[in-house]
């Protein structure tokens, strides 16, 4: 399977199977998962990057434990709509995942997701910087996945 358009993801996965959302950082991978009805995204875990194969296997284990069959990866598009080095890195991550496992992968524009999560964690949860660092990537993954789920629901 190749990287597909987000709107093709439901047809490429079994009904009532959760989806996983990823926020790819330089040192960590924030992972979120949807419920079986693909209505709500929830933060799941944080994978600290080591070697790609180990990171991918940790992701695949998390997916298997939840029965997830598709992946939505946040794509950090520039504010002017262009794609920079981080987008290329995220696309390469997806290609490398596909070399290990045949799984449907789609991208979702994640502009401003981390900033929005940080504002929420500061304003509503009143978390310190150290505590925010522990949850921001997982929460950003949930933000990305929730946006994709809403797009699928409204398609």
């Amino acid at each position: 399977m190749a990287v597909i358009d987000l709107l093709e993801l439901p047809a490429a996965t079994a009904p009532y199977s959760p989806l996983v959302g990823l926020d790819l950082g330089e040192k960590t991978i924030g992972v979120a998962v949807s419920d079986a009805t693909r209505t709500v995204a929830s933060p799941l875990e944080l994978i600290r990057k080591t070697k790609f194969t180990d990171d991918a296997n940790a992701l695949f284990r998390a997916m298997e434990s939840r029965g997830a069959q598709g992946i939505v990866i946040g794509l950090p598009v520039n504010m002017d709509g262009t794609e920079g080095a981080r987008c290329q890195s995220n696309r390469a991550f997806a290609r490398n995942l596909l070399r290990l496992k045949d799984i449907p992968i789609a991208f979702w524009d994640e502009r401003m997701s981390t900033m929005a999560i940080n504002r929420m964690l500061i304003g509503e949860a009143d978390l310190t910087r150290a505590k925010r660092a522990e949850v921001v990537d997982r929460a950003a993954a949930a933000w990305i996945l929730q946006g994709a789920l809403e797009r699928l629901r409204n398609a």
Side-chain angles (χ1 to χ4, degrees), residues 10-99:
T13 56
Y16 300 105
S17 62
L19 300 175
V20 164
L22 302 181
D23 179 48
L24 302 176
E26 290 182 24
K27 297 178 183 178
T28 60
I29 301 170
V31 183
V33 66
S34 74
D35 61 328
T37 63
R38 300 178 183 169
T39 304
V40 177
S42 301
L44 181 60
E45 68 178 79
L46 184 69
I47 298 171
R48 300 209 184 273
K49 286 185 172 179
T50 55
K51 293 190 308 186
F52 176 79
T53 305
D54 294 340
D55 302 342
N57 287 330
L59 171 61
F60 295 147
R61 282 191 301 276
M63 289 180 70
E64 288 169 13
S65 74
R66 298 294 180 132
Q69 293 190 1
I71 300 174
V72 176
I73 297 176
L75 198 61
V77 179
N78 295 324
M79 291 307 291
D80 65 2
T82 61
E83 292 189 10
R86 288 203 48 228
C87 284
Q88 293 172 4
S89 174
N90 287 15
R91 289 187 186 282
F93 184 88
R95 284 191 305 273
N96 290 333
L97 277 180
L98 290 170
R99 289 186 182 117

Side-chain angles (χ1 to χ4, degrees), residues 103-122:
I103 187 162
I105 298 175
F107 291 107
W108 179 252
D109 183 345
E110 70 159 90
R111 275 182 266 196
M112 314 269 289
S113 62
T114 301
M115 186 172 68
I117 292 300
N118 271 312
R119 280 187 182 161
M120 183 202 58
L121 293 175
I122 292 168

